[in-house]
């Protein structure tokens, strides 16, 4: 003998309410007394009914219940970066409390540095798209989403696209870090940057390459040198925000006749790589060279060293993105969010040798 699956009507019958009232108990979309909701949920538990069919619910509401999260890098590289993971964790947690699911969509830069829209951007069901970077007005991903009339939240800014952005005070935080080193007495301060654009490379930055600078965090953290009144003695671009990429760039910065007395890296993973490069070259940190980063990651494997760094609120950043999604779904026009950062002193910066 076969048994049919319980329906919402079955639940309503046992609870002694109308089907529409039983539906409200599950959706939370309208007023319903707590006692009535509890009676409906108890009846559902008795019958083993888990809730309305999600496909039918999405057809009735005109919404998919899905937020497309567009990753602007290779997924295998993004998931090696604790910064990306912590931001994504905050975002997914916030969306989960709203009953929203997540679809991860890659938007990898091609050989020319431009991001080609993934076919999912054109066709996948989603209610809002969250881009994990600060896209420009002419970005092909933005264009694809606008063709669909899709609301968009950006994860870096500011942006020329006029879209709501969750940004951090990375320029001000970087300037505070550079001033800290200058106040210690450093006059030869180099920097190892994040990639300039999708055409990733490792090497010294010349005027031609500077003209290709496209990515917002890289630009902001370089502009901080001018804010602090410091001219970097060397600017070396890292191919990625990864330890091995920072180590390769660190060798370029430090393996010279007259190395800088301090290196500002634009991420903690790059800074960790620079520190390892210094160790490989027989340089002591911070006695021979000070090294500082950005992000505020916990890197216990660097012990006994603890990075001096600018701490950004990574999980809160993801949660703020989720807040903007909620406002868009409510039909509101959300204002952009600017989150503060903090300078955290560690053991890797000290006055230069005299």
């Amino acid at each position: 003998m076969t048994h049919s699956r319980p329906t919402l009507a079955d639940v309503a019958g046992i609870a002694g309410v109308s089907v529409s009232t039983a539906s409200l108990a599950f959706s939370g979309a309208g007023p319903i007394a707590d006692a009535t909701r509890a009676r409906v949920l108890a009846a559902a538990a008795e019958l083993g009914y888990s809730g309305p069919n999600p496909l039918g619910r999405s057809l009735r509401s005109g919404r998919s219940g899905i937020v497309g999260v567009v990753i602007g890098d290779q997924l295998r590289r993004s998931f090696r970066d604790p910064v990306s993971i912590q931001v994504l964790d905050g975002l997914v947690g916030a969306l989960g409390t709203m009953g929203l699911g997540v679809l991860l969509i890659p938007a990898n830069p091609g050989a020319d540095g431009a991001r080609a829209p993934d076919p999912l951007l054109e066709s996948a069901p989603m209610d809002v798209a969250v881009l994990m970077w600060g896209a420009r007005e002419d970005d092909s991903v933005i264009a694809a989403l606008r063709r669909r009339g899709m609301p968009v939240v950006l994860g870096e800014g500011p942006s020329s696209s006029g879209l709501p952005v969750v940004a951090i005070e990375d320029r001000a935080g970087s300037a505070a870090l550079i001033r800290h080193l200058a106040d210690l007495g450093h006059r030869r301060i180099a920097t190892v940057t994040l990639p300039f654009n999708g055409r990733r490379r490792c090497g010294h930055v010349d005027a031609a390459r500077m003209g290709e600078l496209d990515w917002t965090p890289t630009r902001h953290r370089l502009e901080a040198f001018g804010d602090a009144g410091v001219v970097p003695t060397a600017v070396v671009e890292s191919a990625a925000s990864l330890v091995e990429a920072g180590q390769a760039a660190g060798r370029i910065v430090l393996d010279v006749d007259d190395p800088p007395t301090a290196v500002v890296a634009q991420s903690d993973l790059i800074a960790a790589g620079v520190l390892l490069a210094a160790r490989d070259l027989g340089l002591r940190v911070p006695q021979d060279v000070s090294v500082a980063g950005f992000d505020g990651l916990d890197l216990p494997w660097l012990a006994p060293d603890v990075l001096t760094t600018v701490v950004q609120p990574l999980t809160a950043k993801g949660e703020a993105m989720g807040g903007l999604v909620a406002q868009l779904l409510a039909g509101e026009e959300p204002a952009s969010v600017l989150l503060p950062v903090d300078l955290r002193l560690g053991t890797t910066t000290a006055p230069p040798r005299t």
Side-chain angles (χ1 to χ4, degrees):
M1 179 178 177
T2 60
H3 298 275
S4 60
R5 296 177 61 185
T7 66
L8 187 62
D10 297 330
V11 173
I14 290 181
V17 300
S18 66
V19 173
S20 61
T21 298
S23 178
L24 289 177
F26 282 95
S27 70
I32 182 174
D34 290 342
T36 302
R37 179 180 286 105
R39 195 162 70 249
V40 171
L41 296 180
E46 178 182 339
L47 291 174
Y49 177 76
S50 58
N53 181 279
L55 178 59
R57 185 167 62 241
S58 67
L59 291 173
R60 289 190 297 274
S61 67
R63 288 183 175 174
S64 66
I66 298 295
V67 174
V69 178
V70 189
I71 307 295
D73 197 358
Q74 297 174 355
L75 291 181
R76 66 177 179 270
R77 188 153 47 205
S78 292
F79 283 102
R80 292 182 59 199
D81 184 354
V83 172
S84 299
I85 294 171
Q86 290 183 43
V87 173
L88 188 60
D89 185 57
L91 172 60
V92 171
L95 297 178
T97 64
M98 295 181 260
L100 299 171
V102 169
L103 173 65
L104 291 181
I105 303 174
N108 301 333
D112 62 352
R115 291 184 174 90
D118 189 280
L120 286 172
L121 288 172
E122 305 277 4
S123 60
M126 65 181 88
D127 302 320
V128 179
V130 176
L131 274 57
M132 303 295 281
W133 73 92
R136 300 182 312 187
E137 178 68 30
D138 60 353
D139 193 292
S140 60
V141 173
I142 292 289
L145 293 169
R146 281 187 163 150
R147 285 194 293 271
R148 298 184 60 179
M150 184 67 60
V152 176
V153 171
L154 300 182
E156 290 174 0
S159 170
S160 63
S161 62
L163 298 169
V165 177
V166 176
I168 60 169
E169 294 180 332
D170 52 349
R171 180 168 171 172
S174 296
L177 173 58
I178 296 163
R179 291 190 189 99
H180 160 67
L181 291 169
D183 290 344
L184 288 174
H186 291 278
R187 298 295 177 264
R188 293 180 47 78
I189 305 174
T191 185
V192 177
T193 76
L194 293 162
F196 273 37
N197 54 29
R199 293 184 291 274
R200 297 167 177 272
R201 60 183 292 278
C202 176
H204 284 283
V205 174
D206 56 18
R209 183 59 176 165
M210 192 67 75
E212 299 174 357
L213 176 54
D214 185 38
W215 286 2
T216 300
T218 310
R219 183 177 68 255
H220 281 181
R221 296 171 201 184
L222 268 178
E223 290 170 341
F225 275 89
D227 298 341
V230 173
V231 177
T233 60
V235 178
V236 172
E237 180 182 1
S238 177
S241 183
L242 296 173
V243 174
E244 61 267 31
Q247 192 167 9
R251 282 188 169 275
I252 294 174
V253 170
L254 297 173
D255 194 9
V256 294
D257 292 337
D258 189 14
T261 63
V263 179
V264 174
Q266 289 192 353
S267 81
D268 283 350
L269 293 186
I270 293 175
V274 172
L275 191 150
L276 294 179
R279 290 178 180 174
D280 292 342
L281 294 168
L283 297 172
R284 299 168 301 162
V285 176
Q287 294 90 338
D288 298 321
V289 59
S290 289
V291 178
F294 193 109
D295 289 326
L297 299 180
D298 183 19
L299 302 174
W301 51 270
L302 274 181
D305 293 304
V306 177
L307 274 177
T308 292
T309 184
V310 177
V311 182
Q312 62 165 312
L314 297 168
T315 302
K317 185 177 181 181
E319 292 169 346
M321 293 179 195
L324 295 186
V325 168
Q327 293 178 59
L328 287 170
L329 291 177
E332 301 172 5
E333 295 185 5
S336 293
V337 176
L338 181 62
L339 299 175
V341 298
D342 295 300
L343 175 61
R344 185 178 70 200
L345 302 183
T347 64
T348 60
T349 54
R353 288 188 304 170
T354 56

